[in-house]
Structures are given as structure tokens and as C-alpha cells.
Amino acid sequence: MFQNTEIAFQWRSDKDLRRAYFLMKTISKPWLVNLGKALSNFAIKIHFPINWIVKPTIYSHFVGGETIEECEPLVRTLEKYNVKAILDYSVEGSEDEKKIQEALDETLKTIYNAAKDPNIPFAVFKPSAFGIPRILTKASEGADLNENEKKEVEKFRQRVYTLCKAAYDNNVPIMIDAEYYAYQKIVDDVIYEMMQKFNKERAIVYNTLQMYRRDRLDYLKYLYEQAQKDKIKIGIKFVRGAYIEQERERARRMGYPDPIHPTKEDTDRAYNAALEFSAEHIDTISIFNATHNEYSAYLLTDLMEKHGIAKDDPRCYFSQLYGMSDHITFNLAKLGYNVAKYIPYGPVRHVLPYLIRRTEENTSVAGQTPRELRLIEQEFKRRKALKK
């Protein structure tokens, strides 16, 4: 299903592919990624100009642009191939009220922009951009909060409400990204409150479940039971997880059980079981299958056929990050499934932490970068053969 490189790279010129190949070759070397991370962090600290080297290389491969307007040509290009776009304002969180308000205003802009563009089916935000993690952690742990801390938690709740209400008013589903284990509970609680308010007819508010956590499959089943009682719909974005090293280190340091599955195989089983459970309960659960895993993408297509779910049913979406796994994205789109590229955007300096995570992920996930390189090589051979 995913091996047709002509379809996968039809939108990429030879020059684009050569640049992608060089970049993937570079980030396949852990020592080089670690060096780049250290130099980038140092450059940010001393306010050294880095746009000139970052923007035409790693930034242009993984990021749509600095503004919504800069992303517009990419959105239109993807549209030609039946691929949707989701614009994610990827600026890291801050405790500064002014910066939080700026992030809120920009995220509202993404909602209004999606409302007028049929090729942008979702809005998205990261909850830690609108709350103070150390206070959210205390709230998640059930610790006593002082008056100022209670006010901060309420501000967080109100900001999430503002975004979800805008999404509801503009008929734009909105996905709320997952966070660290330490403060995911308060995020989960607030998101469910929003689901109760806005998901009565269809899934407008989506939570994100990191299936590398041992408890997420049970939590999905709990959410389903609650939704049945409350007569609402739930939307779930499924991911494997992004913070494995940090989570395990914190668990060791704080002396609580490791919340992460012991092996990748356990994570894969939980992820696929979650897809199966959701497909069985599609009348209640809308699925956003955010994966670079070929089997999990194929599995959902199989489940949709098994349960009589149309390829273009809006309750089922597939997604991959911009700059990765085009062979999954474009082949699914060609077959008529709902597929969206997740496209981060924002100023170069502010998006740099996201870029560092992407390079680390490509380096650490077994087989991911070699797979990208192999597919690009395969496409080069195909194009060369055509020219003979």
C-alpha cells in the first residue's frame, strides 16, 4: 500500500529530493544531532543570529513558514494531491502573560483561518502554552494550591475554554496536544469538561492519548463509558509518545513507577488495540490516527472496511508530520482516505525546540531515517530509469 514512491514524491522536484536526502543523511548521525542541539541552544542563549543557516535547511523541511500567510502556498500545493493541512503554531510555552496572550491570539487566528479554508480541517494547540507547568503539576497531583496558584489554574481553564468555544462557534474541530505525565491529569480533566460543553452533536474537541503510557488504553475505555453516560461524542488523536527519556528519568528521580510501557512492542499493541476499540465504537469515538507506523496506518484502513466506515468518513483521519512519511500520506490520499499533514509554523528562533525534537526523533526511532533514505533512493532510481 505504501511502497509507491512515484505517488509519495510526486510533489517533490529532483532538487527537493536531493535536499531532503542530504538532510536525512545528516540527522542520521547522533553525534551531529547532539552537536547541533548544543550549538543551537548556545546561539539562542547569546542571541546569535541563526536564521541564515536554519531556515533554508532543517526549518524549510519540517516547518511551513513563520506565519499563516507563509504557509498558504504549501496548503494549496497539498490540496492538489487530496492532502489536507493542519497549521500548528509551534511556539513553546511561557510564564509571561503577554507572550501567553500572543500565543492565544495566534491560535485563535488559526481557528478563523481553518473556518474559511476547506483544506484545513482542524485547529490544534499545545496546552502548556496556556498554563504554568509547575502549577499544573501541583493541580494534577492533588496538592494544596495557594490563592495565586488557584487563579493560574482557572486562567488555564478559561484560555482552553476560549479556544474550544471559538472552535465550536466556527465549526472547526480542535485537537489538544498531549503533555508530560506530571501534568497530563489536569489537562485531561479540563479537556473532558470542554467535551461535555461542545461535543454533544459531534466531536469538536479532541484529546491526545500517548499510547506509550501504560494507562492510556484503560483511560480510553473509561472515556467511552463516561461519554455514554453524558451522551456526548469524544474525539481522540492517537500518538505513540514524545517524551520517553524524560518521563523515565523523572519517574526514577521522583520514585514513582515508570508510566511508560517497558517495550516498543507493548506500545504498538496498546496503540493498535486503541484503534480497534475506537473503530468498534465509531458512533461515539472520532479517530485521528497520527502515526508514521505503516502497520498502524494500514490497520485503520482494514478496520474501516471491516466496520463499513467510508474512506472519507469525517470521523476517521490519518496524519503525518510535514517533512516525514510522505509515502504514507500521499498513498493514502490517492486511495481516497482523509489525510492531513501536520504543519508547524512560527518564527525560526521560537520553533527551534520543535526542530531539535524532530531531529532527535529521526535519529532515535529505529528504522525511521533509514526508511526515508531508502524510499528517496528508490525514487531517484525510478526517475533515472525513465530518462533512459
Side-chain angles (χ1 to χ4, degrees), residues 79-347:
E79 186 175 35
K80 296 174 185 176
Y81 302 97
N82 196 35
V83 175
K84 308 290 187 184
I86 299 171
L87 302 186
D88 178 13
Y89 185 54
S90 297
V91 173
E92 297 292 299
S94 169
E95 294 191 16
D96 182 271
E97 289 278 346
K98 183 181 177 183
K99 290 182 179 178
I100 290 174
Q101 187 60 46
E102 287 174 356
L104 185 67
D105 293 341
E106 185 65 28
T107 306
L108 286 169
K109 283 176 62 179
T110 67
I111 295 170
Y112 305 143
N113 184 63
K116 65 183 184 182
D117 191 333
N119 208 54
I120 303 179
F122 291 84
V124 63
F125 70 90
K126 192 165 179 60
S128 56
F130 304 110
I132 300 173
R134 57 183 170 79
I135 294 176
L136 296 180
T137 297
K138 287 186 70 175
S140 290
E141 293 171 344
D144 290 333
L145 304 179
N146 60 38
E147 288 306 310
N148 284 336
E149 290 169 335
K150 289 177 183 177
K151 288 178 183 177
E152 288 298 329
V153 171
E154 186 55 32
K155 284 181 185 177
F156 169 73
R157 180 178 278 104
Q158 286 302 313
R159 289 162 185 150
V160 174
Y161 172 82
T162 296
L163 294 169
C164 292
K165 177 68 162 55
Y168 176 81
D169 289 344
N170 287 274
N171 201 29
V172 175
I174 189 163
M175 290 183 292
I176 303 167
D177 281 341
E179 294 287 359
Y180 287 104
Y181 173 83
Y183 50 93
Q184 184 65 49
K185 184 181 185 305
I186 185 66
V187 173
D188 287 341
D189 292 347
V190 171
I191 293 173
Y192 192 74
E193 289 175 24
M194 300 304 121
M195 287 183 176
Q196 289 174 306
K197 294 178 187 293
F198 302 118
N199 284 14
K200 292 177 182 176
E201 296 176 1
R202 73 181 186 107
I204 289 289
V205 178
Y206 281 61
N207 199 353
T208 299
L209 301 189
Q210 299 187 101
M211 298 309 299
Y212 70 178
R213 278 183 50 172
R214 299 169 189 254
D215 64 345
R216 293 290 87 175
L217 184 57
D218 287 339
Y219 182 67
L220 172 65
K221 294 175 181 178
Y222 166 79
L223 275 180
Y224 170 74
E225 291 171 0
Q226 289 300 114
Q228 291 292 97
K229 291 176 185 175
D230 293 336
K231 295 182 170 55
I232 63 170
K233 310 295 184 183
I234 57 176
I236 304 293
K237 181 176 85 168
F238 294 103
V239 299
R240 275 170 168 75
Y243 311 112
I244 188 167
E245 289 86 3
Q246 298 97 313
E247 294 289 21
R248 285 187 165 149
E249 171 56 30
R250 186 178 191 274
R252 283 193 294 268
R253 192 172 69 251
M254 304 293 288
Y256 59 81
D258 185 350
I260 308 301
H261 281 298
T263 68
K264 182 181 181 301
E265 289 72 25
D266 291 325
T267 295
D268 290 341
R269 278 191 289 271
Y271 190 102
N272 295 331
L275 291 181
E276 290 171 1
F277 181 84
S278 300
E280 289 167 4
H281 300 94
I282 193 66
D283 288 340
T284 299
I285 305 173
S286 290
I287 302 167
F288 192 89
N289 186 15
T291 185
H292 298 159
N293 183 285
E294 292 173 359
Y295 179 79
S296 292
Y298 171 77
L299 175 63
L300 183 55
T301 67
D302 193 45
L303 290 168
M304 290 172 70
E305 183 177 356
K306 177 181 176 182
H307 294 286
I309 304 168
K311 290 180 178 180
D312 61 350
D313 190 311
R315 296 171 298 180
C316 287
Y317 258 86
F318 300 79
S319 184
Q320 290 76 45
L321 292 168
Y322 176 55
M324 297 168 67
S325 301
D326 285 352
H327 68 301
I328 297 177
T329 305
F330 286 86
N331 278 291
L332 282 172
K334 183 74 172 178
L335 292 169
Y337 291 96
N338 293 321
V339 193
K341 275 296 190 189
Y342 220 72
I343 304 172
Y345 78 95

